[in-house]
Amino acid sequence: MKQIVLKAGREKSMLRRHPWVFSGAIERTHGDPGPGETVLVRSSQGRFLAYAAYSPHSQIRARAWSFQESDTIDARFMAERIRRAVVFRAASSLGPVDGCRLVHGESDGLPGLVADRYGDTVVMQCSSAGAELWRAEFAAALIEFGKCHRVYERSDAEVRRLEGLESRVGVLLGDDPHDSIRICEENITFMVDVRAGQKTGFFLDQRDNRRLVGQAARDRTVLDVFSYTGGFTLAALAGGAARVTTIDSSAEALACARVNLQASGLVNTAVEWLEGDAFGLLRRLFDQGRRFDLVVLDPPKFAPTEKHVARAARAYKDVNLWALRLLRPGGTLFTFSCSGGIDAPLFQSIVAGAALDAGVDARIVARLSASSDHPVALNFPEGDYLKGLALRLS
Ligand code: SAH
């Protein structure tokens, strides 16, 4: 097997079972491995550290499949990892849900692979050279263990470019999926466009937080900013909100939100749809004297990596500032960041800065994260990408 040998002193993170090997940590590479090829990772002393998938074009030069020397990295190994990931979801307190993340990358021991189940369709996303190499095996195992009839590939995430991979979208196994797939979450119906929707079509990671917003919404006026297909809007309406104002820049997302409203039987509710840039719209609402009891802020990834942190921090501060200004005294803000480059303490300090500038006192009533089908492996803190705060104003 081809090998990479790490520089002396650079094996610490592998010894702690962190799955990434950065290019700068590598002393030498033996045998010119190809994209995704399994390599043996050794310490400078020649000690076995891991089997990993090689990514020749990425700063993350290798991602570990296994830290166990006796393992064989083959189709059976991959199928077993998929089986374990599916069993984990079955054993957690998720209950019977139509929409569920089955595989969450590194945290399920499958770096670069995401698989989301919507009814009997699994949408698979490969974002590393290693995952790309094993895509057929993953698809077969997802059919075998994932209670699904078809696997659709949405390998079109931006990050693939860093790996030197072209985007690829289409049926991998089984027949063509419907244009939109109906899933049910807490008696709310969402139509998921697996072909053209964002990510794999839906934001499953916010399931638990949607429930919390629903519980807090009774008789409240709600502002849902960055709504996508209306997840929080529908949760708030189903929870008895008096009125919801919904903002997103995507006309398609808002059109789908309206369809979801109909499909969920929430037709006689008061919703105001605002299509456009949230930054401008929040200022306009403020200038118009509009105020709300509950605001949800779930912006896109402003900082995909650490490189973008400074600019992203300003954007997060700005939206949080306007959201806080739009809240009535005693109101509640649910604010989120899904940026890998911004950790929970930094996010909290950004929001604290926004509160200071808005001239409001606020208390944290809950710290929020992704739903339990997006587990975070202890050896992979980067998996903790979604952080949120529920704040109550004095
Ligand atoms: N809250 C949603 C997920 C939000 S994803 C849910 O639970 O399903 C982020 C959304 O922000 C996307 O729908 C995207 O269209 C929207 N968006 C991105 N930039 C925006 C901007 N500047 N103004 C308004 N919406 C924006």
Side-chain angles (χ1 to χ4, degrees), residues 147-160:
K147 293 194 200 115
C148 67
H149 291 134
R150 62 187 71 78
V151 178
Y152 189 78
E153 186 171 15
R154 275 296 300 276
S155 293
D156 55 356
E158 265 296 292
V159 288
R160 276 174 69 93

Side-chain angles (χ1 to χ4, degrees), residues 198 203 206 210 226-228 232 248-250 276-278 298 300:
Q198 297 183 29
F203 290 81
Q206 291 285 26
R210 280 191 280 271
F226 306 102
S227 69
Y228 188 48
F232 287 109
D248 202 279
S249 57
S250 158
D277 175 40
D298 185 22

Side-chain angles (χ1 to χ4, degrees), residues 27-357:
E27 178 69 47
R28 51 185 192 278
T29 306
H30 295 286
D32 193 21
E37 192 172 340
T38 303
V39 291
L40 203 152
V41 186
R42 286 197 189 282
S43 72
S44 58
Q45 314 280 309
R47 174 176 165 190
F48 169 88
L49 292 173
Y51 297 113
Y54 193 69
S55 286
H57 304 293
S58 173
Q59 284 302 313
I60 305 174
R61 193 53 50 88
R63 290 172 173 81
W65 294 122
S66 165
F67 299 95
Q68 205 69 51
E69 194 164 8
S70 56
D71 276 344
T72 305
I73 308 304
D74 56 9
R76 262 177 58 194
F77 174 91
M78 297 303 171
E80 174 56 17
R81 284 278 157 100
I82 299 265
R83 190 191 67 79
R84 261 202 262 165
V86 172
V87 167
F88 174 86
R89 272 70 183 175
S92 70
S93 57
L94 218 53
V97 290
D98 303 336
C100 175
R101 174 150 297 187
L102 295 180
V103 179
H104 189 45
E106 276 78 351
S107 291
D108 281 304
L110 291 166
L113 178 68
V114 155
D116 289 340
R117 182 163 60 74
Y118 301 111
D120 59 3
T121 301
V122 167
V123 182
M124 193 176 110
Q125 195 160 63
C126 298
S127 57
S128 68
E132 177 84 359
L133 192 82
W134 293 97
R135 52 197 273 284
E137 287 78 5
F138 291 148
L142 285 163
I143 292 273
E144 185 176 354
F145 302 113
K147 293 194 200 115
C148 67
H149 291 134
R150 62 187 71 78
V151 178
Y152 189 78
E153 186 171 15
R154 275 296 300 276
S155 293
D156 55 356
E158 265 296 292
V159 288
R160 276 174 69 93
R161 273 208 266 145
L162 304 175
E163 293 276 319
L165 299 169
E166 300 281 306
S167 125
R168 189 186 307 102
V169 169
V171 177
L172 239 176
L173 268 184
D175 55 358
D176 242 332
H178 289 292
D179 282 344
S180 71
I181 298 171
R182 177 186 291 263
I183 64 165
C184 193
E185 185 185 287
E186 309 260 336
N187 295 323
I188 301 170
T189 298
F190 292 106
M191 304 305 291
V192 181
D193 180 352
V194 298
R195 286 198 186 83
Q198 297 183 29
K199 293 220 289 193
T200 63
F202 193 59
F203 290 81
L204 293 166
D205 51 359
Q206 291 285 26
R207 182 189 311 108
D208 293 353
N209 300 321
R210 280 191 280 271
R211 185 189 315 120
L212 293 176
V213 165
Q215 286 163 357
R218 179 156 298 280
D219 299 329
R220 303 266 183 266
T221 53
V222 177
L223 175 63
D224 177 13
V225 192
F226 306 102
S227 69
Y228 188 48
T229 54
F232 287 109
T233 293
L234 270 73
L237 290 168
R243 183 185 170 82
V244 182
T245 301
T246 303
I247 294 180
D248 202 279
S249 57
S250 158
E252 296 81 33
L254 289 178
C256 183
R258 286 194 196 93
V259 170
N260 291 336
L261 200 78
Q262 294 275 341
S264 302
L266 293 165
V267 278
N268 291 321
T269 48
V271 193
E272 174 188 22
W273 308 100
L274 299 178
E275 180 196 326
D277 175 40
F279 292 84
L281 285 170
L282 292 181
R283 277 180 183 75
R284 201 175 84 196
L285 288 171
F286 181 81
D287 291 343
Q288 291 168 347
R290 298 280 300 276
R291 298 295 180 266
F292 300 86
D293 302 315
L294 196 163
V295 177
V296 180
L297 274 187
D298 185 22
K301 223 187 270 173
F302 290 146
T305 69
E306 267 156 37
K307 243 185 13 211
H308 310 84
V309 167
R311 211 176 55 194
R314 283 194 293 277
Y316 282 116
K317 184 168 172 190
D318 200 40
V319 278
N320 278 280
L321 172 72
W322 286 101
L324 288 161
R325 284 183 172 156
L326 281 162
L327 273 174
R328 290 205 179 89
T332 302
L333 172 66
F334 285 83
T335 181
F336 298 96
S337 162
C338 59
S339 291
I342 291 187
D343 63 10
L346 175 57
F347 182 56
Q348 185 176 322
S349 82
I350 292 169
V351 177
L356 197 66
D357 287 7

